[in-house]
Structure formats: C-alpha cells, structure tokens
Amino acid sequence: MNSPATKPPVTRLFGLGIRNMRFAEANQHLLEVASNRDHASRVVVTPNVDHMTKLEYEPEFKTQYATSDYIFADGMPIIWASKMCALPLPERVTGADLFVSLCRGCIEKDLSIFVLGGMPGQESLLLESFARTYPGLKVDIFCPSMQFNADGAESDLAIQRIQATKPNILFICLGMPKQERLAFRYRAQFTTDNVPLILCVGAAMEFALGQKKRAPLWMQKIGMEWFWRLASEPRRLWQRYTTQAWRFVGLLLRERKIQKQMH
C-alpha cells in the first residue's frame, strides 16, 4: 500500500501521467490523504474521452491539468488505449465510484466533506438526500448559479464557505473545465489552512444520490456506459459521444506512434 507521502506509479498516456492503481488501492490512498492536513491541497481529476479531446484544443489548460496530483482514468477507452504502454492501466478509477466510496469512508473515519455543485437553491434538498443516503456523513453544500466561474465574486463566496467549514474533502461537481480551474485556483491560493483533498467529479453527486441512474455494471465493464448516458440524455450528450468519439480516434492514432517511439 502506498502511503500519502509516496507517489504511486504512473502510466504516460496522451501527455498525462495517469496513476497506475486499482480502485480499492486508490480509494484507500485518497482517504489517507484526506485524513492528513499536514500537506498542500491535492487535486484529483478523472479524465474520460470527452475530457481528452477537449484538452487537445486548450494546450495551456492541458499543461495546468497535467499538474493535478492524481489523474485517474475514468473512461474505458483510456484503459484500452493504455495497452499500448509499457505499464498498462489495471482498471477504471471513476469519479462517480470515488464519490460513493469516499463518502462511506468519511463516515467510518469521522471525516467531513464539502460539495460545490447542484442546481441553484437546492442546498436543503440535497442535505436531506445526503442524510438519507449516507446517514452520519458530515456534509456542507454550496449550489452556485449557472454563471459561476473560477475567478468571479461567486467563487470568492464559495471559497469563504469552504474555509469556514474546513472539510477533509472538497468535491467540485461543476463539469470540466470549471471545476478544475477552481481546484487549481484553490490549491495555489491556500498553501496552509487548506482542504487536504479536492476531487473534480462532474455529475458524480447526481449518481451517488440517485438523481441520475448509472449504466448497469455489465455495461460499465464492457465500456458501454457512454451508450447508456447518450440514451438517457441524447440532446445534451449527442455531440460528446459522436463528434468527440471520432476526434478521440485521431488521438489514438497519434498516441500509437508516440508509444512506438518510446518502446
């Protein structure tokens, strides 16, 4: 088991250092990080195919994204692509799964969480839902407006709320790249008196509270979770899972050449 002070091994893929860990190991490691306040905030991102293709169009942001303390592969196509590498990734470590397992771990270890996300004005409803789903969990929530950005006055207010509650884990559920930009801002702003662990997890809270239904486990295992989500929200997600998929094929072809040169 890697201690929080130990850097887990990485697999170099698509210009990122993706942590080469199984889910159970990653979960335990992150709980240990969250339990210890004697270090700077550590940022966790979980890229999927959509994220990978978007990063290619924002090189400056990709450079910043690559500085995340933990990068885990959320999408099954990324796991398949890693078979080209000398050190293939063993399995997915998804933001949706981490949200659930870390909430349960926080109950066991008496740790607290803060969630930044959800529809505006839903704090009370979400707190009630957390109380039903994760009884005993210490949780605070801030639901920002749809105009939220990492550098605005509303983000200042959100950070004030976070600092007032001093959580062990901050879950940012705003979608990419808003959530990552805020996480990097927070990490740079607070070198002490900070949140030990920050996870950028998109729609994870909605899945964890049953507001959205995840694909059956068998579909997740064969890499068809994208199809389930597309069928569930076709208008919102059709471009992500059609246009972006073809762009990812181009990334794969380029990465194949890079990996051949490295071996």
Side-chain angles (χ1 to χ4, degrees):
M1 179 69 65
N2 292 300
S3 73
T6 304
K7 289 276 189 177
V10 299
T11 294
R12 297 298 307 178
L13 188 66
F14 301 116
L16 301 173
I18 303 175
R19 296 293 170 190
N20 196 291
M21 305 174 78
R22 291 194 172 275
F23 181 85
E25 182 186 8
N27 178 66
Q28 182 60 36
H29 182 87
L30 294 178
L31 275 174
E32 292 175 8
V33 170
S35 301
N36 178 10
R37 293 186 180 272
D38 296 331
H39 58 79
S41 296
R42 297 188 185 176
V43 175
V44 179
V45 296
T46 57
N48 55 30
V49 167
D50 179 56
H51 296 171
M52 289 297 192
T53 53
K54 285 179 177 176
L55 287 171
E56 291 305 305
Y57 292 91
E58 295 190 63
E60 288 186 12
F61 177 61
K62 184 176 181 179
T63 298
Q64 188 178 37
Y65 190 94
T67 70
S68 300
D69 300 277
Y70 298 95
I71 302 176
F72 294 113
D74 188 295
M76 198 64 202
I78 299 174
I79 302 297
W80 294 333
S82 76
K83 305 303 179 186
M84 298 184 290
C85 304
L87 186 64
L89 297 167
E91 61 184 359
R92 298 168 74 198
V93 179
T94 75
D97 290 326
L98 282 174
F99 191 102
V100 172
S101 61
L102 290 175
C103 282
R104 290 172 177 166
C106 283
I107 296 171
E108 294 174 4
K109 292 181 175 290
D110 195 31
L111 305 179
S112 61
I113 73 166
F114 191 107
V115 180
L116 179 58
M119 296 300 291
Q122 283 194 339
E123 284 92 347
S124 296
L125 291 174
L126 289 171
L127 285 172
E128 291 174 6
S129 187
F130 268 104
R132 289 193 303 269
T133 311
Y134 303 99
L137 178 64
K138 298 176 181 177
V139 55
D140 283 284
I141 300 172
F142 180 76
C143 300
S145 70
M146 302 304 288
Q147 289 73 43
F148 183 91
N149 66 74
D151 300 315
E154 195 176 14
S155 65
D156 295 339
L157 177 59
I159 288 173
Q160 289 174 15
R161 288 275 303 274
I162 293 163
Q163 290 301 96
T165 59
K166 298 290 191 297
N168 294 91
I169 299 178
L170 168 61
F171 291 108
I172 310 181
C173 307
L174 300 176
M176 190 244 203
K178 282 186 181 181
Q179 57 193 19
E180 289 82 6
R181 293 190 190 281
L182 182 64
F184 298 139
R185 175 192 165 181
Y186 183 96
R187 184 179 64 178
Q189 186 171 337
F190 295 97
T191 54
T192 59
D193 194 33
N194 54 282
V195 178
L197 188 65
I198 304 173
L199 289 94
C200 304
V201 289
M205 178 177 65
E206 296 170 296
F207 293 125
L209 298 179
Q211 295 175 336
K212 290 183 179 180
K213 190 174 180 181
R214 284 192 75 186
L217 192 58
W218 68 268
M219 291 187 78
Q220 295 180 38
K221 288 184 175 180
I222 65 170
M224 290 294 288
E225 188 168 14
W226 67 270
F227 183 78
W228 175 274
R229 291 204 66 191
L230 177 59
S232 302
E233 301 180 81
R235 288 189 177 183
R236 190 173 75 85
L237 299 177
W238 72 268
Q239 186 174 21
R240 176 188 298 187
Y241 293 120
T242 53
T243 306
Q244 300 293 60
W246 284 111
R247 290 174 177 169
F248 185 69
V249 170
L251 294 183
L252 278 175
L253 295 175
R254 187 186 69 185
E255 186 66 22
R256 186 179 179 185
K257 293 180 181 179
I258 293 171
Q259 292 295 333
K260 282 185 177 181
Q261 292 172 356
M262 292 173 61
H263 293 166

